[in-house]
Amino acid sequence: MARYEDDTHARQRRRKPQDEANHRTMVEAVVANLAHTVLLPDTGHRAVLIGKPRQPRTRYDHPAFGDTFPTVLRTLEGIGWATFHLSPAWGEASTIEPTPRLAAKVQEAGISLHDLKRYAGETVLLSRKERHGRKVDAFTWDWIDYPETAQSTALRGQMESLNAFLDRADLRMEGEAGEAVDTHQRQQRRYFTARDTTSPCFDRGGRMFGGWWSNLPKAYRPGIRVDGEPVSILDFSSMFPRLAYGSLGLQAPDGDLYDLPGFHGHRRAAKLIMNCFLFDEHHRCRWPQVSAPEQAMPPGMTLSQARRSILSVHPDLAPCFGKGLGHQLMYTESTILMEVLMEMKARGIVGLGLHDGLMVPRSRSPEVERIMGEVSQSITSIRIPVTVEPPEQHLQSNLQPTSLMRAISPCPTEADGSVE
């Protein structure tokens, strides 16, 4: 790249020491991402944001990336290592993809996924939903550059300690998905939601995202190996409604709390609408958007009928609906899970978090089940029941690695500025 700059007279003078360090960091990051694309082609390209960096810089911005980033991309294209595609329309990201020349260099050098590690950056993120108008879906999420406090420092210390533990763990994938999953991507981050920007605090949300297992299709979970063992999945049973009962100082009834009249055979729909009522900050007037057919409303059922169905079984939960309680419940849920993971870490047990559950080595599942019960009781005064089951028995055979990688691509909030 330096020779290219000299030959094309792209630079007339040397960079300052800090500028040179930032330049090298950008080059290394882009080349690492291109190498990752060679090893795991999935879509064959990487999205890049080349707009003017926001000012002032915040805790979410990589300190090395700035105005010269588009120049780095153009230079890599100039030396024949990458192909740069400018965004075709507003609202779409530009892309960069490796050339056959770079792909050959990656293969010749013997680079593997083991040589690449994702840059975690800030591991405690805080955002706020900003509404625009009266439409339900008219909103954006804005990052809050919060001031450092004892609470945020403690949360970050927990997250970094857990990430370091997972980084050393023996995690593998077996079966047909093994070649299509990068099991070295283990850096997780906690996402919190603020009520407003005037007094940002960390008492809403807090779920973890980022691990390669977090959005792996369920059909591939039998191929997961932790410390050489197949995994068991441990879930808190009916977590949100039980926490809602607990917030009222009440004990939830026994059994499946999503077993509701009119929803037989539609448990996922019952869970979705019940949790929506808990998250709503207003009177809901339509069924939520669904991501799977199983979440669709049962035939012939109206929203008011769904509400009556829930309250016929859980009349005590009426005060919890329409108050936005779900964000606080999610914080309690994430706090319980984090405490469980830290206790497991202290005992040398590796666990892969799944929001309200865990995947653990099968031989350790009885011990982890006890930990989950004890921690939930210590935090909420309620011992939340835990279900233990193996993942699906058979690997799905009709997905090819390419379609698998599309299925496990990072969630949108993970796509901004992550660097390998």
Side-chain angles (χ1 to χ4, degrees), residues 6 13 73 111 119 145 168 173 196 216 222 229 231 282 304 354-355 360 368 372 405-406:
D6 289 340
R13 54 185 178 181
L73 301 179
I111 295 172
Y119 168 75
D145 190 19
R168 299 189 299 268
M173 275 293 300
D196 56 57
L216 186 74
E229 290 188 47
V231 297
H282 52 83
S304 59
L354 294 169
H355 301 325
V360 303
V368 174
M372 293 172 72
M405 289 309 296
R406 291 195 185 99

Side-chain angles (χ1 to χ4, degrees), residues 242-308:
R242 291 186 191 280
L243 292 178
Y245 271 103
S247 71
L248 299 171
L250 302 174
Q251 179 73 40
D254 295 331
D256 183 4
L257 303 192
Y258 299 121
D259 186 9
L260 306 172
F263 282 91
H264 299 301
H266 296 271
R267 186 182 185 278
R268 290 189 63 184
K271 180 177 180 179
L272 173 64
I273 193 60
M274 193 170 179
N275 289 341
C276 282
F277 284 138
L278 290 171
F279 271 93
D280 286 342
E281 297 177 358
H282 52 83
H283 180 72
R284 175 166 289 274
C285 58
R286 66 177 184 178
W287 194 265
Q289 292 183 344
V290 300
S291 58
E294 298 82 13
Q295 295 177 321
M297 183 185 295
M301 178 171 286
T302 66
L303 194 62
S304 59
Q305 288 173 335
R307 182 185 177 93
R308 287 197 297 271

Side-chain angles (χ1 to χ4, degrees), residues 34-308:
L34 291 170
H36 192 274
T37 306
V38 171
L39 297 170
L40 285 180
D42 55 11
T43 62
H45 59 262
R46 287 285 182 266
V48 289
L49 303 179
I50 60 171
K52 191 172 181 63
R54 56 188 165 190
Q55 297 295 336
R57 306 286 277 174
T58 72
R59 63 174 62 245
Y60 307 113
D61 297 310
H62 193 296
F65 281 70
D67 293 333
T68 60
F69 181 46
T71 303
V72 168
L73 301 179
R74 292 292 189 192
T75 305
L76 284 168
E77 184 174 49
I79 65 174
W81 280 26
T83 302
F84 177 58
H85 301 283
L86 194 62
S87 170
W90 185 88
E92 295 184 30
S94 300
T95 61
I96 188 171
E97 60 184 287
T99 62
R101 180 182 178 188
L102 177 60
K105 287 183 175 292
V106 170
Q107 301 298 335
E108 290 168 8
I111 295 172
S112 70
L113 293 174
H114 182 73
D115 300 310
L116 303 172
K117 181 178 178 180
R118 186 170 296 278
Y119 168 75
E122 179 58 70
T123 56
V124 178
L125 295 88
L126 184 64
S127 64
R128 177 178 181 268
K129 180 188 285 189
E130 187 71 34
R131 288 205 169 275
H132 308 285
R134 299 179 62 87
K135 291 184 178 180
V136 175
D137 55 354
F139 64 86
T140 57
W141 286 98
D142 297 325
W143 296 115
I144 298 176
D145 190 19
Y146 56 86
E148 193 67 20
T149 64
Q151 183 187 20
S152 61
T153 300
L155 290 170
R156 188 178 301 103
Q158 268 193 334
M159 201 70 254
E160 292 177 352
S161 174
L162 180 61
N163 281 338
F165 180 60
L166 289 173
D167 197 42
R168 299 189 299 268
D170 178 12
L171 305 180
R172 286 174 285 158
M173 275 293 300
E174 293 186 358
E176 65 181 270
E179 297 299 320
V181 179
D182 184 0
T183 58
H184 302 285
Q185 304 299 352
R186 307 173 183 188
Q187 299 297 303
Q188 298 185 95
R189 302 190 281 187
R190 289 188 76 180
Y191 288 79
F192 293 86
T193 303
R195 188 176 294 276
D196 56 57
T197 57
T198 56
S199 56
C201 54
F202 303 89
D203 60 356
R204 291 158 54 92
R207 280 183 168 180
M208 287 179 288
F209 293 90
W212 58 267
W213 59 88
S214 60
N215 53 355
L216 186 74
K218 289 183 179 180
Y220 289 92
R221 288 178 181 172
I224 297 175
R225 296 292 180 269
V226 177
D227 291 335
E229 290 188 47
V231 297
S232 288
I233 300 176
L234 286 74
D235 279 319
F236 285 110
S237 177
S238 307
M239 182 73 148
F240 266 39
R242 291 186 191 280
L243 292 178
Y245 271 103
S247 71
L248 299 171
L250 302 174
Q251 179 73 40
D254 295 331
D256 183 4
L257 303 192
Y258 299 121
D259 186 9
L260 306 172
F263 282 91
H264 299 301
H266 296 271
R267 186 182 185 278
R268 290 189 63 184
K271 180 177 180 179
L272 173 64
I273 193 60
M274 193 170 179
N275 289 341
C276 282
F277 284 138
L278 290 171
F279 271 93
D280 286 342
E281 297 177 358
H282 52 83
H283 180 72
R284 175 166 289 274
C285 58
R286 66 177 184 178
W287 194 265
Q289 292 183 344
V290 300
S291 58
E294 298 82 13
Q295 295 177 321
M297 183 185 295
M301 178 171 286
T302 66
L303 194 62
S304 59
Q305 288 173 335
R307 182 185 177 93
R308 287 197 297 271

